[in-house]
């Protein structure tokens, strides 16, 4: 069968070549007639049908999901008869997945019907000489089958392959932490917009120290969202949700994001806005993200001067005359403008809830900030950032979670004193955690708790001094105003 197929294909290739070459020698009037009839003969002789599945289709900006599903399907179902295989480690590097290397062919049988799969690469379209050969090659899979089986193959078999491939993908799924590559690396050998490593953050909602009721509310909110596919479709909203996490440093904002990803089993995309050149790059990055993911923009107030743009313009108007005259400040300004990101507030808003934001679905967008008041109200209005979560200084309840995690204790005689101190002291969970962590084998729970008591007393003292100073300033102000 195999020899027969190869012989048929090669003789057809020769016939095609000759036909294309000599077609021009036919008089123009009969050329169409000859071509039509030649194709009829070829179709009659060649009983095989071919379907190609390309990694990229020209109209689409995104990699084809079907291509990846086929790749996964072929990697498990048919690799035993391929001889050149590629290996890839998945799931905590415990197991290896094999897939077909380029130009390899394998067979598969479906309901007693034999089909052939071949993997291939298309040479680059452009004639430019690349430093990394293969950079612009486009991969594809070709499915060959007998024309008698067309109906069953195009309908049932392809569907079976895609479904199985996706199932296996879910099973082998290793969660990833992505970060965006600078756009100069988007083309060429490392042609990916997102670089990734395995996501292995140990933070969970159990280890997160915060108010229990608030924690439960956030967990329920997340679970409701992740199960809400049909509901979002019913109400006509894109299946995404925005969270704003704000609070002082070390209060667990980043830990909360990791806990969310671990709870829902989502990938995390850490978006670094400062390396993105403009709004269209931002949109391209979003299109390349997969579903079941959390897109994070940390310290949104520092990432971009989103809030200052309007103010800057006004200042510019005022100072323009002076600045333009001074050649040094003019050059400096030009350099700043060149290197700076041109992502704008409206570009960011578009990504969050414009038409493009609905591509793919099942995405959570999280902004974190230390200064919520600095943000533009348009950015954080409900609907864009659906839920605002304040991560605040440690309270006694949060301390108990940390004590359980760090020291394995539920109670201690020092707990009463610590509870009292927490009323006035302002310490971040990160600082409390640091005091509670034994620094050597000799340090027992007593030592750690005592260290915390000292830190809390110092913090209380500091808070008292600060409020006294503030009160003094107020009274002084009052005197000045009255005077
Ligand atoms: N609420 C918390 N529960 C448990 N651990 C916490 C909590 N907050 C902080 N920590 C501990 O402190 C460390 C720093 O916390 P994290 O990075 O989450 O703070 P952050 O709010 O993101 O700070 P920043 O604003 O500086 O980014 C964490 O590694 C964690 O161990
Ligand atoms: Mg952080």
């Amino acid at each position: 069968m195999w020899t027969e197929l190869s012989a048929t294909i090669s003789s057809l290739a020769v016939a095609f070549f000759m036909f294309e070459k000599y077609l021009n020698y036919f008089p123009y009037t009969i050329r169409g007639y000859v071509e039509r009839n030649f194709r009829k003969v070829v179709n009659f002789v060649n009983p095989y049908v071919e379907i190609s599945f390309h990694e990229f289709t020209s109209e689409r900006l995104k990699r084809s999901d079907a291509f990846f599903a086929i790749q996964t399907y072929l990697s498990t179902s048919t690799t035993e008869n391929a001889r050149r295989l590629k290996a890839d480690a998945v799931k905590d590097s415990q197991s290896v997945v094999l897939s077909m290397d380029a130009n390899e062919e394998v067979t598969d049988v479906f309901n007693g019907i034999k089909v052939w799969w071949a993997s291939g690469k298309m040479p680059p379209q452009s004639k430019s000489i690349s430093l990394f050969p293969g950079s612009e090659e486009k991969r594809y899979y070709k499915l060959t089958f007998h024309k008698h089986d067309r109906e069953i193959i195009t309908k049932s078999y392809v569907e079976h392959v895609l479904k199985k491939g996706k199932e296996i993908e879910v099973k082998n799924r290793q969660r990833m932490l992505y970060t965006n590559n600078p756009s100069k690396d988007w083309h060429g050998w490392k042609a990916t917009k997102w670089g990734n490593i395995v996501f292995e953050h140990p933070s969970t909602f159990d280890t997160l120290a915060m108010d229990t009721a608030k924690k439960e509310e956030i967990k329920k909110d997340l679970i409701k969202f992740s199960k809400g596919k049909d509901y979002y479709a019913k109400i006509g909203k894109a299946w995404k949700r925005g969270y704003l996490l704000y609070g002082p440093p070390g209060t667990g904002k980043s830990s909360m994001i990791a806990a969310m990803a671990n709870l829902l089993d989502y990938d995390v995309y850490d978006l670094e806005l400062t390396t993105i050149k403009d709004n269209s790059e931002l949109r391209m990055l979003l299109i390349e993200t997969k579903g079941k993911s959390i897109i994070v923009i940390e310290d949104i107030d520092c990432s971009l001067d989103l809030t200052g743009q309007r103010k800057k313009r006004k200042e510019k108007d005022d100072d323009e005359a002076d600045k333009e005259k001074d050649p040094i400040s003019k050059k400096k300004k030009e350099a700043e403008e060149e290197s700076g990101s041109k992502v704008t507030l409206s570009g960011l808003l578009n990504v969050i809830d414009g038409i493009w934001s609905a591509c793919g679905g099942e995405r959570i967008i999280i902004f974190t900030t230390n200064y919520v008041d600095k943000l533009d109200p348009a950015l954080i209005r409900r609907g864009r950032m659906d839920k605002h979560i304040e991560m605040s200084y440690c309270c006694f309840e949060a301390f108990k979670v940390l004590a359980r995690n760090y020291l394995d204790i539920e109670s201690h005689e020092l707990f009463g004193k610590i509870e009292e101190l927490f009323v006035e002291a302002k310490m971040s969970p990160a600082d409390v955690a640091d005091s509670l962590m034994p620094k050597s084998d000799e340090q027992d729970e007593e030592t750690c708790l005592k260290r915390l008591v000292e830190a809390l007393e110092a913090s209380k003292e500091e808070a008292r001094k600060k409020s006294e100073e503030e009160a003094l300033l107020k009274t002084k102000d009052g005197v000045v105003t009255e005077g």
Side-chain angles (χ1 to χ4, degrees):
M1 182 68 175
W2 188 241
T3 343
E4 194 189 306
L5 176 70
S6 332
T8 319
I9 290 173
S10 45
S11 41
L12 279 172
V14 172
F16 258 124
F17 176 73
M18 302 292 282
F19 176 73
E20 299 281 334
K21 194 166 176 207
Y22 293 107
L23 189 66
N24 287 342
Y25 294 108
F26 285 96
Y28 179 74
T29 42
I30 61 163
R31 208 181 285 170
Y33 176 78
V34 172
E35 196 175 349
R36 265 196 313 278
N37 283 299
F38 179 78
R39 293 209 185 275
K40 258 191 208 163
V41 175
V42 169
N43 287 346
F44 182 73
V45 180
N46 177 14
Y48 296 99
V49 181
E50 281 179 354
I51 306 177
S52 307
F53 298 88
H54 291 262
E55 184 178 5
F56 288 98
T57 47
S58 53
E59 320 80 64
R60 295 203 194 158
L61 302 162
K62 215 178 144 206
R63 280 158 204 265
S64 147
D65 288 344
F67 179 87
F68 284 109
I70 293 167
Q71 188 176 43
T72 323
Y73 172 80
L74 291 178
S75 67
T76 49
S77 328
T78 52
T79 40
E80 59 265 29
N81 40 24
R83 300 200 174 189
R84 286 171 52 242
L85 299 163
K86 267 192 317 201
D88 207 357
V90 292
K91 275 260 168 185
D92 311 320
S93 312
Q94 305 267 308
S95 60
V96 163
V97 160
L98 298 173
S99 62
M100 280 159 75
D101 208 348
N103 303 321
E104 189 67 19
E105 257 173 340
V106 290
T107 53
D108 190 21
V109 178
F110 179 69
N111 291 354
I113 301 166
K114 197 168 185 178
V115 298
W116 292 265
W117 281 103
S119 67
K121 280 182 190 167
M122 296 231 288
Q125 303 267 312
S126 63
K127 296 269 182 297
S128 62
I129 300 163
S130 165
L131 193 58
F132 304 104
S135 59
E136 312 224 322
E137 285 173 339
K138 297 195 169 92
R139 296 179 294 168
Y140 64 87
Y141 284 107
K142 195 179 276 175
L143 170 65
T144 309
F145 53 90
H146 200 284
K147 63 181 179 193
H148 289 327
D149 308 318
R150 190 183 193 120
E151 182 88 6
I152 189 153
I153 296 296
T154 52
K155 294 220 170 106
S156 321
Y157 177 66
V158 172
E159 202 183 296
H160 158 81
V161 170
L162 298 183
K163 192 168 152 238
K164 268 267 152 19
K166 281 190 183 138
E167 271 172 29
I168 302 163
E169 257 172 30
V170 171
K171 216 168 71 198
N172 282 345
R173 198 169 112 100
Q174 169 99 57
R175 269 178 322 120
M176 290 292 174
L177 170 62
Y178 295 87
T179 185
N180 49 314
N181 294 325
S183 56
K184 64 178 169 50
D185 297 341
W186 288 9
H187 310 282
W189 178 61
K190 218 178 145 192
T192 50
K193 295 185 179 62
W194 293 97
N196 62 320
I197 53 161
V198 173
F199 179 79
E200 286 175 323
H201 202 294
S203 170
T204 63
F205 274 96
D206 291 335
T207 64
L208 208 60
M210 63 185 292
D211 182 68
T212 321
K214 209 157 128 190
K215 189 158 51 174
E216 284 308 310
E217 187 196 317
I218 297 166
K219 266 165 81 176
K220 278 186 193 153
D221 191 281
L222 287 165
I223 289 166
K224 179 98 184 135
F225 166 79
S226 70
K227 289 182 180 161
K229 186 177 180 178
D230 295 336
Y231 181 71
Y232 276 80
K234 194 186 106 193
I235 59 170
K237 250 182 99 160
W239 190 16
K240 64 182 177 59
R241 194 157 174 78
Y243 290 85
L244 174 74
L245 301 183
Y246 64 96
T251 47
K253 296 179 290 299
S254 306
S255 313
M256 163 76 86
I257 296 170
M260 286 175 167
N262 285 331
L263 177 77
L264 297 176
D265 208 14
Y266 280 10
D267 289 327
V268 177
Y269 287 87
D270 189 4
L271 193 61
E272 180 52 64
L273 278 185
T274 46
T275 59
I276 304 174
K277 274 215 207 89
D278 51 29
N279 295 338
S280 80
E281 277 192 17
L282 182 63
R283 196 178 320 133
M284 298 291 280
L285 279 166
L286 178 87
I287 295 166
E288 278 274 310
T289 59
K290 296 184 188 153
K292 285 193 179 294
S293 59
I294 300 182
I295 299 168
V296 182
I297 304 181
E298 287 251 39
D299 297 321
I300 180 87
D301 51 306
C302 309
S303 301
L304 278 186
D305 197 5
L306 293 168
T307 46
Q309 270 169 7
R310 273 167 294 175
K311 198 172 124 228
K312 246 192 195 163
R313 179 131 313 151
K314 193 173 170 291
E315 271 172 17
K316 191 182 147 196
D317 290 343
D318 296 346
D319 304 347
E320 199 148 34
D322 309 337
K323 288 253 174 86
E324 298 293 295
K325 274 181 218 153
D326 177 6
I328 298 172
S329 66
K330 197 175 161 192
K331 269 211 174 140
K332 202 172 142 195
K333 209 180 82 204
E334 273 168 15
E336 262 173 26
E337 270 171 17
E338 247 171 52
S339 67
S341 162
K342 291 198 183 73
V343 175
T344 60
L345 177 62
S346 76
L348 189 61
L349 297 184
N350 244 327
V351 165
I352 303 166
D353 69 353
I355 295 185
W356 286 92
S357 69
C359 306
E362 203 172 359
R363 285 197 186 84
I364 289 177
I365 300 170
I366 303 182
F367 289 167
T368 75
T369 180
N370 293 140
Y371 307 98
V372 69
D373 310 332
K374 270 207 209 170
L375 299 181
D376 195 302
L379 190 65
I380 57 170
R381 74 152 168 78
R382 306 276 159 169
R384 284 204 176 105
M385 290 293 110
D386 302 282
K387 198 163 171 61
H388 296 189
I389 302 169
E390 183 181 6
M391 303 298 288
S392 47
Y393 289 112
C394 199
C395 57
F396 182 64
E397 206 176 333
F399 154 77
K400 282 205 288 194
V401 177
L402 290 173
R404 200 181 314 130
N405 288 337
Y406 282 71
L407 300 171
D408 288 321
I409 50 171
E410 294 288 342
S411 63
H412 191 276
E413 54 186 27
L414 281 172
F415 271 30
K417 187 163 188 194
I418 290 173
E419 187 170 9
E420 266 171 38
L421 284 167
F422 265 119
V423 178
E424 279 174 79
K426 269 189 180 172
M427 255 178 105
S428 69
D431 289 337
V432 174
D434 185 57
S435 301
L436 289 180
M437 197 154 119
K439 306 290 184 309
S440 68
D441 284 345
E442 288 82 51
Q443 294 190 352
D444 59 2
E445 59 207 41
E446 180 100 14
T447 329
C448 297
L449 287 175
K450 277 186 180 155
R451 185 165 52 211
L452 176 66
V453 170
E454 274 169 31
L456 281 170
E457 276 167 349
S459 155
K460 189 178 155 187
E461 185 60 25
E462 205 179 305
R464 193 184 57 78
K465 270 189 194 157
K466 213 171 164 188
S467 66
E468 267 177 19
E469 271 169 26
E470 272 170 17
L472 203 69
L473 268 178
K474 258 188 199 161
T475 44
K476 262 189 195 168
D477 273 357
V479 172
V480 171
T481 336
E482 271 172 31

